[in-house]
Every structure is written in structure tokens, then in C-alpha cells.
Amino acid sequence: MGRMPTSSTTATDDIAHSGAERLADTAVAGDLAFLLARANAVSIAAANAALAEHGLKVRQYSVLALAADQSRPSQRELAEFLRLDPSQIVALIDELEARGFVVREPDPTDRRAKVVAATAAGRRMYAKARRTVVASEVECFGVLNDQERCVLTDLLRRLAFPAR
Amino acid sequence: MGRMPTSSTTATDDIAHSGAERLADTAVAGDLAFLLARANAVSIAAANAALAEHGLKVRQYSVLALAADQSRPSQRELAEFLRLDPSQIVALIDELEARGFVVREPDPTDRRAKVVAATAAGRRMYAKARRTVVASEVECFGVLNDQERCVLTDLLRRLAFPAR
DNA sequence: TATTGTTATACTCTATAACTATA
DNA sequence: TATAGTTATAGAGTATAACAATA
């Protein structure tokens, strides 16, 4: 299924409208790729709505989260992990850096590489943003119980990081 | 998580590179929204690679599939079901119509609406495209067994079409 | 007054190739 | 010769508002 649009609707908006319901019995509606795409669209809409109050987009939030971790990722690692082109990472970090949330530090072991690290302000922003994202995920994924979310996490992890 | 890019890599490309592996233990990597986004990116890449030989994009394939069904969707229904803006549906159908795969028919019950129906050529193309898409899904979702795919379908359906 | 399809436009995201500095 | 980051740019996707025809 295609990349679905990031709607600006809030997580509480009604999402399956009457028109779409009539199509819910088609073969497409049972297709795993389609359901994955639509579920993702719902999830992104919820996360974007939650992050808007912090002036963050979901993409920047992901980078900030990885920078706020102790993992000290290089830009190349971020690109691979987030499945973005390295050239896209540049702008993403430029903006986070301009807002004082992350810094580029030289990698002592490879002078070509730059490590992305969160500043104190970045960690604070991440903590704040994370709370609203978690809240939005409760709305979004709360239709599943704890065990179901565990099962889903396991299944998705295997799809997201297929063994080579 | 952000909309992830549609890579033009084939489904058999190695997807979890060495760089990304180091980040696989971060909090982000266990986040449902992130895994959903990344699994979707993997799935889309596989489907796009499969559809390229038919000159179709995954978005057009979805519309064609729904038109080839007996469901006779209106453009508005397609928009809601696929979570696209109605204005995007126009160009999508324009192209499918120009290639002779679908036609816009007047809805006898509402003269504002247009029903999208597949032509014979459209149904043939859909049948052909479907075979390669199914094959690509085997590659993509084949890491799960039958039962796991069933469970995943159920869980995703509830996320994709949350009760109102 | 509201809805369907359409057009137009601005904006964001994505893909690609080239360049620099290091390895 | 290959890799990390960067720049530039063209193309695809997305969001928004307005319009004519119809309800």
C-alpha cells in the first residue's frame, strides 16, 4: 500500500468513516500490507498531533530520542536505523541543533564521522515530548490489551528488522 | 515515527545494516509506533519493487484492486478508505483511466458522485500485478508463519479501523 | 446549507548525484 | 578505493482552499 498521508486530525477523530466502511469487506481490506500502511497512518496522525504542541515533527522526535539515549549514534547510523537517506539526516539535525537540542561531536575514533548527542535542553524537551507521545500511543494502541501489544511488538520487530 | 522513505531497494536487500544494529537496544527500537513505521517501510519497498515491472505504483494498485472488486467505490469512498485527500484521488484515477484500466461511471443514485470501475484490461492488469505483489508479500511476511500472520492481521485491523 | 469531484498552489518529503574530508 | 557528511536539485507526495454541479 502507498505511503499514507499524515492527516492533521487528532487521535480522537473518527477515523473509519461511513464511506470507507462499505469497503471493509474487500480483499484489499484483509491484505497485510494494506493494514500495516493504514495502521501506520493512524499512528502517525496521533503522534504528530501530540508533538505539534512542542513544535516537533515525528521525524525529529525520533532523532532526539536516539540522541537522548546513551547510544551516541553517528549520522550514518541514524540514517540506516530510520531508513532515511543520509542527506535527509543533515537537515533534520540542523534544525534540532539550531534549537539547541542536539550537538554534533567529532567521533574520536573516526574523524569523518560525527556523533549526535542531546544537550541538557534536548533531554528536557525529549522527556516532555515523550510524555505526550506516550499519552497519544495509549489512545492509539489502547484498543489492544497488554498481552496483545507484546505480541504485536514481537511480530512487527521481526518484520521491521528481518534477519539477513 | 516519521513517514519512512520508500527505498528502491529490492525485498531481498539486506535491510538491517551494521550501523543500525547497534541502535537495536534503544528505547525507540521497542516503540510500537516506530516498529509499525519501519515494518511498513520494509513492506512498501517490497511492494514497489514488485509493481515496478507493471508500471504501477502501490497507490494506483490499491485503487485498481478496489475498482476490480465488485464494490464499485465512489471517489470519496476511496479517499476515506485509503486515507487520502479527495483531491489526490483525482490524479490517481486520471492516470489509471488514461491507461484504460478504470472508468468513471455516473452514480445512478447520486449525480454528484462518480463510481470507479475497472475495465476488462484493468482486471487483467490487476490479476497480473496481484501475482507479483503476493509473491513479494511472501518474501516480506514469510518470516512469520501462517498463524502469526493471522494474529498480526487481526491486531492490525483493530488499529487500522478503530471502533468509533 | 452541505457534499462530490475538481483545480490550483504551496509546501514537505524523497531520490539522486556530486563534492570534501577523511579512512 | 571506499566511506561520512554535505550540498543541490528534481521529482513525488501532501495539505489547503476555492469552485461548479448537485443534494
Side-chain angles (χ1 to χ4, degrees):
Chain A
M1 295 296 113
R3 188 79 37 76
M4 297 200 175
T6 301
S7 124
S8 57
T9 57
T10 68
T12 49
D13 272 356
D14 45 328
I15 280 156
H17 275 280
S18 52
E21 281 167 9
R22 208 176 61 73
L23 301 177
D25 292 327
T26 58
V28 184
D31 183 71
L32 259 177
F34 167 74
L35 291 172
L36 197 51
R38 199 179 207 279
N40 183 44
V42 170
S43 160
I44 286 177
N48 270 337
L51 285 169
E53 70 176 274
H54 303 109
L56 286 173
K57 293 169 209 153
V58 81
R59 196 66 72 67
Q60 298 170 319
Y61 173 78
S62 309
V63 171
L64 185 55
L66 288 160
D69 221 281
Q70 296 90 327
S71 39
R72 297 182 62 77
S74 72
Q75 295 187 195
R76 183 67 47 160
E77 286 173 322
L78 289 172
E80 286 170 4
F81 192 68
L82 298 173
R83 286 183 68 98
L84 297 174
D85 192 90
S87 66
Q88 296 178 245
I89 299 289
V90 175
L92 223 41
I93 295 181
D94 279 352
E95 194 168 331
L96 287 173
E97 196 168 37
R99 294 176 65 187
F101 294 150
V102 304
V103 289
R104 284 180 242 234
E105 297 176 354
D107 182 339
T109 72
D110 184 342
R111 283 190 299 172
R112 292 175 303 181
K114 296 175 189 172
V115 157
V116 181
T119 61
R123 286 191 297 273
R124 280 195 301 274
M125 172 54 95
Y126 171 62
K128 245 197 312 187
R130 179 171 166 75
R131 277 194 292 276
T132 67
V133 166
V134 167
S136 90
E137 290 191 357
V138 167
E139 276 195 56
C140 186
F141 297 105
V143 298
L144 308 181
N145 64 36
D146 287 359
Q147 197 213 324
E148 287 168 333
R149 282 198 301 271
C150 273
V151 170
L152 181 61
T153 301
D154 172 60
L155 296 175
L156 287 178
R157 201 192 312 262
R158 287 157 63 194
L159 296 178
F161 297 99
R164 280 181 294 164
Chain B
M1 295 298 115
R3 187 79 38 75
M4 296 198 175
T6 302
S7 125
S8 56
T9 58
T10 68
T12 50
D13 273 356
D14 46 329
I15 280 156
H17 276 283
S18 52
E21 280 168 9
R22 210 178 58 74
L23 301 178
D25 293 326
T26 57
V28 183
D31 184 69
L32 260 177
F34 167 74
L35 290 172
L36 198 50
R38 200 179 206 278
N40 183 45
V42 170
S43 160
I44 285 177
N48 271 336
L51 285 169
E53 69 176 275
H54 303 109
L56 286 173
K57 293 168 211 154
V58 81
R59 198 67 71 65
Q60 296 170 320
Y61 172 78
S62 309
V63 171
L64 185 56
L66 289 160
D69 221 281
Q70 297 91 327
S71 38
R72 298 181 61 76
S74 73
Q75 296 188 194
R76 183 67 48 161
E77 285 173 322
L78 289 172
E80 286 170 3
F81 192 67
L82 299 173
R83 285 183 69 96
L84 298 174
D85 192 89
S87 66
Q88 296 178 244
I89 299 289
V90 175
L92 223 41
I93 294 181
D94 280 351
E95 194 168 330
L96 287 173
E97 196 168 37
R99 294 176 65 187
F101 295 150
V102 304
V103 288
R104 284 181 240 234
E105 297 175 355
D107 182 339
T109 71
D110 184 342
R111 284 190 300 173
R112 293 174 304 182
K114 295 175 189 173
V115 158
V116 180
T119 62
R123 286 190 296 273
R124 280 195 301 274
M125 172 54 94
Y126 170 61
K128 246 197 312 188
R130 179 172 167 75
R131 277 194 293 274
T132 66
V133 166
V134 166
S136 90
E137 290 191 357
V138 168
E139 276 197 56
C140 185
F141 297 105
V143 297
L144 308 182
N145 64 35
D146 287 358
Q147 197 213 324
E148 288 168 333
R149 283 199 299 272
C150 272
V151 170
L152 181 61
T153 302
D154 172 59
L155 296 175
L156 287 178
R157 201 193 311 264
R158 287 158 62 194
L159 295 178
F161 297 98
R164 279 181 295 165

